[in-house]
Amino acid sequence: MSENQHQEPTGRYFYVLALTALGVVYGDIGTSPIYAIREALGHHYGLSPSRENVLGVLSLIFWALVIVISIKYLLFVMRADNRGEGGMIALTALVAPPRRMRVGSRRWTLVLIGLFGASLLYGDSMITPAISVLSAVEGLKIATPLFEPYILPITITILVLLFAVQSRGTAGIGRVFGPVTLLWFITLGALGLNQVVRRPEVFLALNPMHGAEFFIRNGWPGFLVLGSVFLVVTGGEALYADMGHFGKKPIQLTWFAIVLPCLFLNYFGQGALIIGDPRTIEHPFFLMAPKWALYPLVGLTTLATVIASQAVISGAFSLTRQAVQLGYLPRLRIEHTSERQIGQIYIPSINWLLMLACIGLVLGFRTSSNLAAAYGVAVTTDMVFTTILFAFVARDRFGWSMPRVAALAAAFLVVDLGFWGANLVKIPHGGWFPLVIAAVFFTAFTTWKKGRQILADRMQHNVLPIDLFMADIEKSTYVRVPGTAVYMYGNASGTPPALLHNLMHNKVLHQRVVLLTVETEEIPVVDEADRVTVSPLGSGIFRVGLRYGFKEDPDIPQALAGVNRPDLPLKAMETSYFLGRETLIASRTPGMAMWRERVFSVMSRNARPATAYFGLPPNRVVELGAQIEL
């Protein structure tokens, strides 16, 4: 399969995937109607919910959905697939493959953009569950004010339960995601249709001139409204990130056939309701429903927001694993919750971090309106970065002409930067939170990557070239003991330090010696036929290379079991694994700032042991240590 080929599903499976994508991909963007119109036309900007302003906001919402989602992501950005995979990490790997550059190179700037964009998604993964669940539970206040004191406790309870069940995986829950979300979108469309048939004048908002006149009429406050209008497209990055799970066509079909029409009807229905009674601006979404349907709607809304939250939580897990595989984070404990789906994973450390952050956000901001002030800064910045990186992919990978790339990027950036500028004013009111979270993760990414590079450079000075080692082995009379010894080392041209230490201390060499190098490619999955390479070096010594994609978890014993060579029998009970364990000491040797060296040392000490990460049998592992100054 070529680098950018990906076989799209067909037949009945295609429609099953499309239904499943409805629950996972569109959960976030599908819950925006709960609060987006309310925030755009509320009291925050000092604008009255007049007929003209309602039509102006509806026009901005409709064209935002068309330009950002339908055109930018579905028609263009999703072309930049890394063997079927999407998302910020996959896009960054397309722009600047990690194995083909070094820190400080020209391409490193693009990597920094991609890494910061990926870091911003962690802030989004914290805010989305908090604002979505809280906005749904707030619907209880519409039914009766008696529920108001219990809004925060109910919200926190739902969030705790949501994160508590993550370790069980989403396989079982995932089967109901699609049908429930389909019911949700049908409900959105039905609620909106009931209102627009009463006031069909709202369809005048399809004319983009209403949006332009809104800016002219309201000036600066009108521009700032874009910060709330942007809430309707906050799930755009999920379309791209989840492309590898479902394929392009199921996601595109679901959007144009179900999601866009239902969102369109609901937003325009809320607008029709507000034109008829401006007092409904306080909660237009819930006030569209008849009183008898309010409690069922709150229940369905809560379930929909939980599904939307599940999608971004799973996205954070996937992003973290890709960062680990590509060398931007230390090894973490990653649990697979499904034997059939590689993407269904659980990372305990990230899960509990997200839960504590969500609870803190709910307690700190207390209402979904306050949380909306923190929402948007991260995603708008991420969308700007996506446009920039896509432009480089289009030029370098697709071979598009510079005028074509520049025109397309400029058109998208006009929209992206408009939303971004309107969201910047949110920073003092809570928008600082996702930026702080992004800064923390960005620092972790770059510190780990640079630290590993410095560590490799320091170790390189003391590495014995393999040809010199082989020349020495052929002359030596080391005692050869039965069995196979596997020495893991990242430098394919050097001799593993653990091998040299073993010879120095024990004076013996195994009958068969494997010098093993594990590489992570800038593609999601490596074909099994290309997984293992074996090169005999002589004297019973073999150079073995294992290749994995950034979405795969290495299992070394399993991969070695597939080696079928008479001269290299790899029997599990006759194979020992020798690993080097470096104790890192922060020093004033030129490299990184002292505080970053200390951060790197702490990250290294808390990394998951290589034994567990690579699937090695603990009773067959020998570790030989060394101290290294950073």
Side-chain angles (χ1 to χ4, degrees), residues 257-287:
I258 300 173
V259 179
L260 180 59
C262 292
L263 289 177
F264 164 70
L265 285 174
N266 193 268
Y267 284 125
F268 276 54
Q270 290 187 50
L273 179 68
I274 296 168
I275 290 176
D277 184 0
R279 293 174 299 177
T280 58
I281 189 58
E282 292 300 320
H283 275 289
F285 175 78
F286 288 106
L287 291 175

Side-chain angles (χ1 to χ4, degrees), residues 3 39 46 95 132 211 246 385 416 459 553 612:
E3 187 175 10
E39 296 303 315
V95 173
S132 298
F246 306 103
F385 290 166
D416 292 339
M459 295 180 66
D553 294 317

Side-chain angles (χ1 to χ4, degrees), residues 162 165-166 168-179 306-307 310:
L162 172 64
V165 301
Q166 292 301 310
R168 299 179 180 271
T170 59
I173 304 174
R175 282 192 288 268
V176 302
F177 274 13
V306 167
I307 292 174
Q310 177 65 58

Side-chain angles (χ1 to χ4, degrees), residues 97-117:
R99 291 196 302 114
R100 300 176 186 174
M101 56 151 207
R102 293 177 63 86
V103 174
S105 66
R106 183 175 65 88
R107 289 281 177 175
W108 180 241
T109 303
L110 295 176
V111 171
L112 293 181
I113 291 176
L115 288 180
F116 192 73

Side-chain angles (χ1 to χ4, degrees), residues 50-59 201-202 204-205 210 275:
S50 64
R51 175 182 179 276
E52 293 75 16
N53 285 341
V54 170
L55 291 178
V57 168
L58 290 179
S59 183
E201 63 187 288
V202 291
L204 293 172
H210 282 284
I275 290 176

